[in-house]
Amino acid sequence: MKYVRFSRNEEVFYGVLEGETIKQLDRDFLTENAQLTGAEYPLAEAKLLTPVNPGQVVGIGLNYVLHAKEMGKAIPEEPMMFMVSPSSIIAHGEDIVLPNLEHAIEYEVELAVVIGKQAKKVNKAEALDYVFGYTICNDVSDRNLQAKDGQYTRAKSYATFKPLGPVVETELNPNQVDIQLTLNGEVKQHSNTDDLIHDVASIIETVTDVMTLNPGDIIITGTPSGVGPLKPGDKVELAIEGIGKLVNGVVDGTNHR
C-alpha cells in the first residue's frame, strides 16, 4: 500500500494513493487506527509533501561494493553510520539548491527505511517488524566538504540536500528491488538492493544498538556506483521498483545565502 502526505488549499492531509486517486485518511498513517474518511481527490489536484517529517535521519555510507571502490574506500565491516539534519529534506517536485557552484555536489539514489514503532536494541531477526515502509531519497552530498571535514554531517545537511518521497510503500522486499537514477534523461546509476553489503535488517540492528528510533524516523541505506555532479538546470529522476519515482530540479543558490 502506498501512503502519502499532501496538501490542498494549504491544509495538510494524509492518504492512500491508488493509481491516480488519493483516498484521504482521518489522521497520520503512522498512528494506530488511521481510517479512510471517504473523501477522494485526483492526484493532479493535490501537492505531494514529504511523506514523513523525521526527527532523526540516519545515513549508511559505502554500502554497495562498487560505490566503495569508486570512492576509493575500504568496504566497511559493519554499517557505517552518520547523521543528517532533518531540515535538509524536501519533497518530490521541489528544487535542489546548490549553495556553492565551485564545489562538487553529487547525487546519490538510496532506498530509505521508514520506522513504524519505537526501536531500541532490536535483534536482526525481528528488525523488519519495526519498519512501517520504504521510500526514495536522494542523498545529495558536497564532496569538497566531505574531504575537508573528514565526516559527513555538514556535507549532507544543507537545506534541500535530501529529496524524499513521494510515497511510503509498505509491501516491499527491501533486499531485492531495482534502483536507478536518471540525470537529464540519461541513466547514471542502476543496481539492485540485493547488492547491499549490509542488508536492511542488519542496518536496523546496528543503528538501534546505538540510538532509539521513533515512528517516522528514516534510515537511508547507501547508494550504488555511478554518483556524479549536479549543476543548475538539471532534472534528477530517481526510481525504485515497487515505490515509484522521485523527481527534482536543480537551481543555483549562490545569490540567496
Coordinates of all heavy atoms in Angstrom, one line a residue, residues 7 9 29 46 53 68 73 92 95 101 104 117 121 145-146 163 166 175 192 204 208-210 222 232 255:
S7 N -1.1 18.3 0.5 CA -1.9 19.5 0.9 C -2.8 19.9 -0.2 O -2.6 19.6 -1.4 CB -0.9 20.6 1.1 OG -0.2 21.0 -0.1
N9 N -5.4 23.5 -0.7 CA -5.8 24.8 -0.1 C -5.1 25.0 1.2 O -5.6 25.5 2.2 CB -7.3 24.8 0.1 CG -8.1 24.6 -1.2 OD1 -7.7 25.1 -2.3 ND2 -9.1 23.8 -1.1
F29 N -0.9 8.4 9.0 CA -0.8 6.9 8.8 C 0.1 6.2 9.7 O 0.0 5.0 9.9 CB -0.5 6.6 7.3 CG 0.7 7.2 6.7 CD1 2.0 6.8 7.1 CD2 0.6 8.3 5.8 CE1 3.1 7.4 6.5 CE2 1.7 8.9 5.3 CZ 3.0 8.5 5.6
A46 N -3.6 17.6 -6.0 CA -3.0 17.7 -4.7 C -1.5 17.9 -4.8 O -0.9 17.6 -5.8 CB -3.2 16.3 -3.9
N53 N 7.9 13.5 8.4 CA 8.7 14.5 9.0 C 9.6 13.9 10.1 O 9.3 13.9 11.3 CB 7.9 15.6 9.6 CG 7.4 16.6 8.5 OD1 8.1 16.9 7.6 ND2 6.2 17.0 8.7
A68 N 31.9 1.8 -3.0 CA 33.1 2.0 -2.1 C 34.3 2.1 -3.0 O 35.2 2.9 -2.7 CB 33.1 0.8 -1.1
K73 N 37.4 3.8 -1.1 CA 37.3 3.5 0.3 C 37.3 2.0 0.5 O 36.8 1.2 -0.3 CB 36.0 4.1 0.9 CG 35.9 5.6 0.8 CD 36.8 6.4 1.7 CE 36.6 7.9 1.7 NZ 37.5 8.6 2.6
H92 N 9.1 15.7 -3.4 CA 9.0 15.5 -4.8 C 8.6 16.8 -5.5 O 7.6 17.4 -5.1 CB 8.0 14.4 -5.0 CG 7.6 14.2 -6.5 ND1 8.4 13.5 -7.4 CD2 6.5 14.5 -7.1 CE1 7.8 13.4 -8.5 NE2 6.6 14.1 -8.4
D95 N 12.9 22.0 -5.7 CA 14.3 22.1 -6.3 C 15.4 21.9 -5.3 O 15.3 22.4 -4.1 CB 14.4 23.5 -6.9 CG 13.6 23.7 -8.1 OD1 13.4 22.8 -8.9 OD2 13.2 24.9 -8.4
L101 N 28.7 26.7 -6.3 CA 28.9 26.1 -7.6 C 30.3 25.6 -7.9 O 30.6 24.9 -8.8 CB 28.5 27.0 -8.8 CG 27.0 27.4 -8.7 CD1 26.7 28.3 -10.0 CD2 26.0 26.3 -8.7
A104 N 32.0 20.2 -5.8 CA 31.5 19.0 -6.4 C 30.3 18.5 -5.6 O 30.5 17.8 -4.6 CB 32.6 17.9 -6.6
K117 N 7.6 1.9 14.6 CA 7.4 1.9 16.0 C 8.7 2.0 16.7 O 9.8 1.8 16.1 CB 6.6 0.6 16.4 CG 7.3 -0.7 16.1 CD 6.5 -1.9 16.5 CE 7.2 -3.2 16.1 NZ 6.4 -4.4 16.5
K121 N 17.7 -1.3 20.5 CA 18.4 -2.6 20.7 C 17.6 -3.8 20.1 O 17.3 -4.8 20.7 CB 18.7 -2.9 22.1 CG 19.7 -1.9 22.7 CD 20.2 -2.3 24.0 CE 21.2 -1.2 24.5 NZ 22.4 -1.0 23.6
L145 N 33.3 19.3 1.0 CA 33.2 19.4 2.4 C 33.4 18.1 3.1 O 33.9 18.0 4.2 CB 31.8 20.0 2.8 CG 31.6 21.4 2.4 CD1 30.2 21.9 2.8 CD2 32.7 22.4 2.9
Q146 N 33.0 17.0 2.4 CA 33.3 15.7 3.0 C 34.8 15.5 3.2 O 35.3 15.0 4.2 CB 32.8 14.6 2.1 CG 31.4 14.2 2.3 CD 31.0 13.0 1.5 OE1 30.2 13.1 0.6 NE2 31.4 11.8 1.8
P163 N 16.1 15.3 -0.9 CA 14.8 15.0 -1.5 C 14.3 13.6 -1.0 O 15.0 12.7 -1.0 CB 15.0 15.0 -3.0 CG 16.2 15.9 -3.2 CD 17.1 15.6 -2.0
P166 N 8.1 9.9 -3.3 CA 6.9 10.7 -3.0 C 5.9 9.9 -2.1 O 5.0 10.5 -1.5 CB 6.3 11.0 -4.3 CG 6.7 9.8 -5.2 CD 8.0 9.4 -4.7
N175 N 15.4 -6.0 0.2 CA 16.7 -6.5 -0.2 C 16.7 -7.1 -1.6 O 17.7 -7.7 -2.0 CB 17.0 -7.6 0.8 CG 17.2 -7.1 2.2 OD1 17.8 -6.1 2.5 ND2 16.5 -7.7 3.2
N192 N 20.7 -3.1 -7.9 CA 19.6 -3.8 -7.2 C 20.0 -3.9 -5.7 O 21.2 -4.0 -5.4 CB 19.4 -5.2 -7.8 CG 18.1 -5.8 -7.2 OD1 18.0 -6.2 -6.1 ND2 17.1 -5.9 -8.1
I204 N 19.3 -2.0 10.7 CA 18.5 -1.6 11.9 C 19.0 -2.1 13.2 O 19.0 -1.4 14.2 CB 17.0 -2.1 11.6 CG1 16.4 -1.4 10.4 CG2 16.2 -2.0 12.9 CD1 15.1 -2.0 10.0
T208 N 20.0 0.7 16.0 CA 19.3 0.7 17.3 C 20.0 0.2 18.5 O 19.6 0.4 19.6 CB 17.9 -0.1 17.1 OG1 18.2 -1.5 16.9 CG2 17.1 0.5 16.0
D209 N 21.2 -0.4 18.2 CA 22.1 -0.7 19.3 C 22.7 0.6 19.9 O 23.1 0.6 21.1 CB 23.2 -1.7 18.9 CG 24.1 -2.2 20.0 OD1 23.5 -2.7 21.0 OD2 25.3 -2.0 19.9
V210 N 22.7 1.6 19.1 CA 23.4 2.9 19.5 C 22.3 3.9 19.9 O 22.5 4.6 20.9 CB 24.2 3.5 18.3 CG1 24.7 4.8 18.6 CG2 25.2 2.5 17.8
G222 N 22.4 3.7 1.7 CA 23.6 3.7 0.8 C 23.2 3.7 -0.6 O 22.1 3.4 -1.0
P232 N 23.1 23.6 -12.0 CA 21.8 24.3 -12.2 C 21.2 23.9 -13.6 O 21.9 23.8 -14.6 CB 22.2 25.8 -12.2 CG 23.4 25.8 -11.3 CD 24.2 24.5 -11.7
N255 N 23.2 33.1 -4.9 CA 22.7 34.5 -4.7 C 21.7 34.6 -3.6 O 21.1 35.7 -3.3 CB 22.1 35.1 -6.0 CG 23.1 35.2 -7.1 OD1 24.2 35.5 -6.9 ND2 22.6 35.0 -8.3

